[in-house]
Amino acid sequence: MYAYDTFDRNIIDARVAEFRDQVERRMKGELTEEEFRPLRLMNGLYLQLHAYMLRVAVPYGTMSSKQMHRLADIATKYDKGYGHFTTRQNIQYNWPKLVETPDILTELAEVEMHAHQTSGNCIRNTTTDQFAGATRDEVEDPRPYAELIRQWSTFHPEFSFLPRKFKIAITGAGQDRAAVKWHDIGLILRKNDAGETGFEVIVGGGMGRTPVIGKTIREFLPEADLLSYLEAILRVYNEQGRRDNKYKARIKILVEALGAEEYARLTEAEWQKIKDQHIDVPAEEVARIKAFFTPPPLPVLSDDVPAVDEFANQNFIFKTWLDNNTNPHKVLGHVNVTISLKPHDGIPGDATDEQMHLVADLAEKYSQSEIRVSHEQNLILPHVAKQDLVEIWKILDANGLGSANVGLLTDMIVCPGMDYCALANARSIPIGQAIADRFDDIRRLQDIGPLKLKISGCINSCGHHHAGHIGILGVDRRGEENYQISLGGSGAEDATKAALLGPGFDEHGIVDAVEKVVAVYLGEREEGEEFLATYRRIGAAPFKEAVYDAD
């Protein structure tokens, strides 16, 4: 795990001191809210429906148990005893008092955490695969490159005021668990025919009111050229991206307007001008960063653990948890454990202070003191020995964290919606809870199989509904909350945009609509076929007929 150097510490400490002064001036009335707004946003502080919201960065979704303990302490001391893990692998506190936010940032800085660049029109937290460095299907660990991007982009003077916010995702695995094609820049680690490491470079993806899947503009970029090439992409966007209309200011609009080939040509031309200007760091610096991500010295163990198998044969819930919530580790005899933050009656992504402390304790004992956050709003214990799984599950289950639903219908991405967000048009949390309640039978969920359901409370798409196998969008329709349903989206390597099925429903009707969609799938699926494959094979018509049947 990366540790701050003196330069990092000085930057964070200076920013906290600066923000403390800004807050004091705001509290004294020396700054108006309009004057204060850009200053607080640069420190991750939003003003939502009921209170301030502080978004704290978890760079590339990796943190230590010590950092998790501190996040829990902050939830206890400054919030209402919980935090919300987001699709950007960050954590949000929904109830901090303005006057206390500098103290929160001070306590975060003590454990090498911060909140800058979690908002504003700058390069945001680079996200990645939650199993990075610990999964068998990986070309290479992407986190050193994400850390390199973090250092390059932090307070980058040229890219601090881009036309709009800018998001980069990177994956090193064959299976895309970072939704890279839905980002402003997506990077996929590749090996060329000579065995050299490089990146496929994708630009212009994004959700929101204009969902677009990114296009590849370079099949293979040598790793040594990463930063200068990113700089070229950003320069073209910064110069030509629209600033007259924020709804048309994202890079996806520019790429669509120019065409991917022209954007690639402009990027290559810009790159030729700057690639020899020493933007890329020397190989020894890359090696220094990579050294922080050296895999832990795990012993090679047997993948066969009879005691675990025997317990699974006696306990259906544990067996289901084993099947859904664990992922093969690159070291034999180990797995990555996903802790579902989607319990019955829970709010997707929320964790109490007690649960955060518990996860930190488990990480210290079982996963090398390391924790990950997934973009699907769950927590991960990497590096877990299979022989410890029964004990871990019993502890999680006793503390409300043993849900075996990872990858299933109730493992939903749900945005905060109108319960918290000032931009939302409709509630999304109660809709998610109502659907979870309707499908609250693990045996039924297991029979349905892998199915990604995603809910957004407005067109900004924070709930990723465009990428849902079943996507739900809440809108305001003449003063009433209305929920549209779309089908066939994917955020994986086969990224596709979900298609709207038809007219929307009220809060009760949307739950029935989901039930009918699932029923069509169960009736039409072929042996071994998952929901998305069935939808792609039979198309929307059978689902539409069932959902909108007058009877």
Side-chain angles (χ1 to χ4, degrees):
M1 188 173 300
Y2 189 77
Y4 281 5
D5 57 17
T6 303
F7 187 69
D8 289 313
R9 287 188 176 281
N10 289 342
I11 285 180
I12 300 302
D13 291 344
R15 174 52 63 92
V16 171
E18 180 184 58
F19 188 59
R20 186 178 295 281
D21 177 66
Q22 292 163 352
V23 170
E24 288 175 357
R25 291 165 62 200
R26 173 66 185 129
M27 298 299 294
K28 292 176 182 175
E30 295 174 3
L31 291 174
T32 66
E33 170 55 27
E34 185 179 2
E35 292 167 336
F36 181 59
R37 182 175 181 274
L39 303 176
R40 62 173 167 76
L41 287 176
M42 292 176 73
N43 290 276
L45 189 64
Y46 289 76
L47 184 55
Q48 295 287 37
L49 271 181
H50 312 294
Y52 285 99
M53 180 273 282
L54 181 67
R55 180 179 296 150
V56 178
V58 182
Y60 34 91
T62 296
M63 63 179 149
S64 68
S65 55
K66 180 181 179 182
Q67 290 171 322
M68 180 65 105
H69 278 306
R70 182 58 56 89
L71 294 179
D73 289 339
I74 288 172
T76 305
K77 188 174 179 181
Y78 299 104
D79 207 89
K80 293 188 177 182
Y82 69 93
H84 177 75
F85 290 95
T86 79
T87 57
R88 295 291 302 159
Q89 298 181 301
N90 297 319
I91 184 172
Q92 294 178 175
Y93 295 104
N94 286 313
W95 304 98
K97 295 180 177 65
L98 174 60
V99 68
E100 294 178 337
T101 50
D103 294 333
I104 298 175
L105 295 180
T106 297
E107 295 193 23
L108 288 170
E110 291 171 354
V111 293
E112 302 185 352
M113 300 187 84
H114 60 77
H116 57 245
Q117 292 189 215
T118 59
S119 60
N121 294 333
C122 56
I123 301 172
R124 304 285 187 90
N125 179 34
T126 297
T127 53
T128 190
D129 182 356
Q130 66 269 24
F131 303 137
T135 183
R136 292 182 187 176
D137 66 338
E138 191 169 72
V139 172
E140 193 170 320
D141 187 346
R143 291 175 302 162
Y145 303 103
E147 172 58 28
L148 190 61
I149 293 170
R150 184 194 71 80
Q151 294 187 22
W152 161 75
S153 64
T154 297
F155 304 137
H156 194 303
E158 190 174 338
F159 305 135
S160 293
F161 295 96
L162 293 165
R164 282 288 278 142
K165 57 189 174 183
F166 203 89
K167 301 173 181 177
I168 301 174
I170 176 172
T171 182
Q175 182 181 350
D176 181 5
R177 289 176 284 261
V180 297
K181 294 180 182 178
W182 284 105
H183 283 74
D184 297 301
I185 294 178
L187 300 169
I188 304 175
L189 274 159
R190 304 281 193 207
K191 293 282 188 185
N192 65 10
D193 293 340
E196 298 164 331
T197 300
F199 303 91
E200 178 183 343
V201 182
I202 301 162
V203 300
M207 297 192 192
R209 64 184 60 224
T210 308
V212 179
I213 294 170
K215 281 88 175 173
T216 297
I217 63 168
R218 211 171 205 277
E219 294 288 348
F220 188 84
L221 174 74
E223 64 170 338
D225 298 320
L226 176 63
L227 296 187
S228 58
Y229 200 79
L230 293 182
E231 186 127 338
I233 293 172
L234 265 296
R235 278 194 172 187
V236 173
Y237 169 54
N238 206 20
E239 291 172 0
Q240 299 200 28
R242 292 184 61 170
R243 293 177 184 268
D244 60 321
N245 183 336
K246 75 173 190 177
Y247 301 116
K248 297 183 179 180
R250 297 289 294 270
I251 190 175
K252 61 187 176 185
I253 303 297
L254 180 61
V255 173
E256 289 291 285
L258 294 174
E261 289 186 3
E262 176 63 7
Y263 202 95
R265 188 191 69 77
L266 292 171
T267 297
E268 293 288 334
E270 184 64 32
W271 187 48
Q272 291 303 317
K273 298 177 190 173
I274 65 173
K275 69 175 186 175
D276 297 323
Q277 294 180 357
H278 306 292
I279 295 170
D280 288 292
V281 298
E284 51 267 33
E285 175 61 11
V286 176
R288 186 189 73 83
I289 293 174
K290 285 185 175 181
F292 287 99
F293 298 92
T294 302
L298 301 177
V300 176
L301 304 171
S302 172
D303 258 355
D304 297 321
V305 185
V308 172
D309 295 338
E310 184 178 345
F311 186 77
N313 289 333
Q314 299 168 357
N315 189 313
F316 174 79
I317 300 299
F318 174 73
K319 184 178 186 311
T320 307
W321 181 84
L322 208 58
D323 290 341
N324 297 327
N325 294 42
T326 64
N327 172 274
H329 195 280
K330 63 173 54 175
V331 178
L332 287 178
H334 295 77
V335 295
N336 304 297
V337 171
T338 298
I339 301 170
S340 172
L341 294 183
K342 323 292 172 57
H344 176 72
D345 282 340
I347 295 175
D350 276 13
T352 68
D353 44 5
E354 291 179 350
Q355 289 173 332
M356 285 189 266
H357 280 305
L358 177 78
V359 171
D361 288 340
L362 289 174
E364 287 168 5
K365 187 173 182 181
Y366 297 107
S367 69
Q368 307 291 317
S369 295
E370 191 173 326
I371 301 159
R372 310 288 181 82
V373 184
S374 76
H375 88 275
E376 296 186 314
Q377 300 179 289
N378 293 318
L379 298 176
I380 288 86
L381 298 175
H383 320 309
V384 172
K386 294 182 76 171
Q387 62 196 22
D388 295 327
L389 287 173
V390 174
E391 187 173 348
I392 290 173
W393 177 77
K394 287 181 177 177
I395 295 171
L396 290 172
D397 192 48
N399 289 276
L401 291 172
S403 296
N405 59 352
V406 170
L408 306 180
L409 187 150
T410 57
D411 181 21
M412 308 174 209
I413 291 178
V414 180
C415 78
M418 214 158 60
D419 287 287
Y420 295 100
C421 180
L423 300 175
N425 301 117
R427 295 165 300 158
S428 47
I429 293 172
I431 301 304
Q433 290 172 318
I435 293 171
D437 189 55
R438 180 72 67 89
F439 289 88
D440 187 29
D441 180 339
I442 192 64
R443 293 180 186 274
R444 185 186 183 196
L445 287 172
Q446 189 72 354
D447 177 51
I448 294 168
L451 200 165
K452 294 188 182 299
L453 194 154
K454 307 184 181 189
I455 307 174
S456 299
C458 78
I459 197 68
N460 290 305
S461 313
C462 292
H464 292 192
H465 66 279
H466 295 300
H469 299 170
I470 300 176
I472 295 173
L473 169 64
V475 299
D476 178 90
R477 189 175 181 185
R478 295 186 288 276
E480 300 289 334
E481 293 173 49
N482 187 267
Y483 297 90
Q484 300 173 346
I485 189 167
S486 53
L487 301 179
S490 171
E493 59 278 7
D494 59 349
T496 48
K497 182 177 68 176
L500 183 65
L501 195 62
F505 302 87
D506 64 18
E507 61 182 285
H508 304 294
I510 189 63
V511 182
D512 293 335
V514 171
E515 177 104 45
K516 291 175 181 176
V517 166
V518 172
V520 171
Y521 157 63
L522 294 176
E524 296 286 343
R525 68 179 173 184
E526 296 180 347
E527 187 174 354
E529 195 174 50
E530 298 180 359
F531 178 88
L532 191 57
T534 299
Y535 172 81
R536 287 172 173 169
R537 177 172 57 80
I538 69 176
F543 296 96
K544 193 168 186 175
E545 183 179 353
V547 168
Y548 296 104
D549 185 345
D551 294 330

